[in-house]
Amino acid sequence: MKAEKLLSSLCYFSIFFAPFLFPIIIYVLTYGIVRHHAGKSLWIHLVPYLSFFIGIGVLVLNGGNQMSSLIIICIFTVIGVYYLILNFVRGIKVLIVN
């Protein structure tokens, strides 16, 4: 049970060292609750990047207005920081709970 907790937690903490590679490897090689956490962490790792590309698309379509560009950049920075903190909290939660 301890190894399952550690691997599940490492999937969330992998945002700091291998955001996509580690959860994908764990997802393919494991089963059960570890696989569930690996898939969940992979999606949480993807959201900031998806929002970044959506933000870039909006900036391109916007035409470069300075005020709206600043607002868009601030919104997507907040999204990125939120998901970074979310990964950290979920990694600790998996280690401590149960």
Side-chain angles (χ1 to χ4, degrees):
M1 184 69 110
K2 186 73 170 171
E4 291 176 349
K5 282 183 168 184
L6 186 61
L7 277 176
S8 296
S9 180
L10 279 175
C11 286
Y12 291 109
F13 289 136
S14 71
I15 192 78
F16 298 112
F17 58 88
F20 302 111
L21 186 62
F22 190 76
I24 289 172
I25 291 170
I26 297 299
Y27 186 82
V28 170
L29 296 177
T30 61
Y31 58 91
I33 194 73
V34 178
R35 186 177 188 151
H36 169 76
H37 284 290
K40 210 170 184 183
S41 69
L42 182 62
W43 280 109
I44 293 173
H45 293 350
L46 283 174
V47 169
Y49 291 101
L50 293 175
S51 68
F52 172 76
F53 289 120
I54 290 170
I56 295 295
V58 170
L59 285 175
V60 167
L61 293 175
N62 188 19
N65 184 0
Q66 277 188 332
M67 188 58 164
S68 61
S69 297
L70 181 64
I71 292 170
I72 290 169
I73 290 169
C74 288
I75 288 171
F76 293 111
T77 301
V78 168
I79 290 171
V81 169
Y82 170 77
Y83 279 99
L84 179 73
I85 293 170
L86 182 66
N87 274 303
F88 190 71
V89 167
R90 286 198 177 174
I92 291 173
K93 193 174 181 180
V94 167
L95 276 177
I96 293 174
V97 177
N98 296 334

